Amino acid sequence: MSGNPANGSDNAATDANRTEPVRSGPMATTPQQHHHNLPDPDDTMNIPSPCINVCRLDAATGLCEGCFRTLDEIARWSRHADVEKRRILDAVDRRRAQAPVAASALRAEQAR
């Protein structure tokens, strides 16, 4: 007989169908719930901030001239889940592409 004798299982399929929590406490989930909820905090990649230490807000656009994020995106960065950080980084990429002249001027200023 294979499997875990402590819980009487014969195979991994039986273990996968169990309903006891994967972990204890307020974040406890069953194996079935675990894969369908938001990303587990233990599974995040901790995406780094796009900040390049050129921190000036453009009054016309409301975006930081260095990282192309809004003030709200900057302020909440450390509290966002990785999925939200990726969404912001996608928006930053679009904003940079739409502002090539501003980006070129910024690179020239940084090179001085």
Side-chain angles (χ1 to χ4, degrees):
M1 181 168 170
S2 63
N4 184 346
N7 68 11
S9 67
D10 285 42
N11 58 44
T14 303
D15 287 341
N17 293 327
R18 67 191 166 110
T19 58
E20 56 271 358
V22 172
R23 64 172 69 111
S24 62
M27 297 296 290
T29 60
T30 64
Q32 294 82 5
Q33 292 170 326
H34 182 73
H35 297 290
H36 299 289
N37 289 341
L38 293 175
D40 185 320
D42 297 334
D43 295 337
T44 61
M45 295 172 38
N46 200 16
I47 296 172
S49 166
C51 179
I52 59 170
N53 294 321
V54 177
C55 304
R56 290 187 304 255
L57 284 181
D58 181 305
T61 65
L63 300 175
C64 173
E65 293 177 8
C67 66
F68 290 88
R69 291 182 293 167
T70 66
L71 188 56
D72 186 55
E73 290 168 342
I74 294 166
R76 296 176 189 220
W77 182 264
S78 64
R79 294 186 301 261
H80 282 309
D82 284 355
V83 67
E84 181 64 12
K85 289 178 181 180
R86 284 188 200 96
R87 187 198 63 74
I88 292 169
L89 291 176
D90 288 344
V92 163
D93 288 343
R94 287 189 304 276
R95 293 168 188 158
R96 274 197 185 110
Q98 293 172 355
V101 175
S104 314
L106 179 60
R107 283 192 293 276
E109 183 179 316
Q110 288 174 333
R112 288 187 222 166

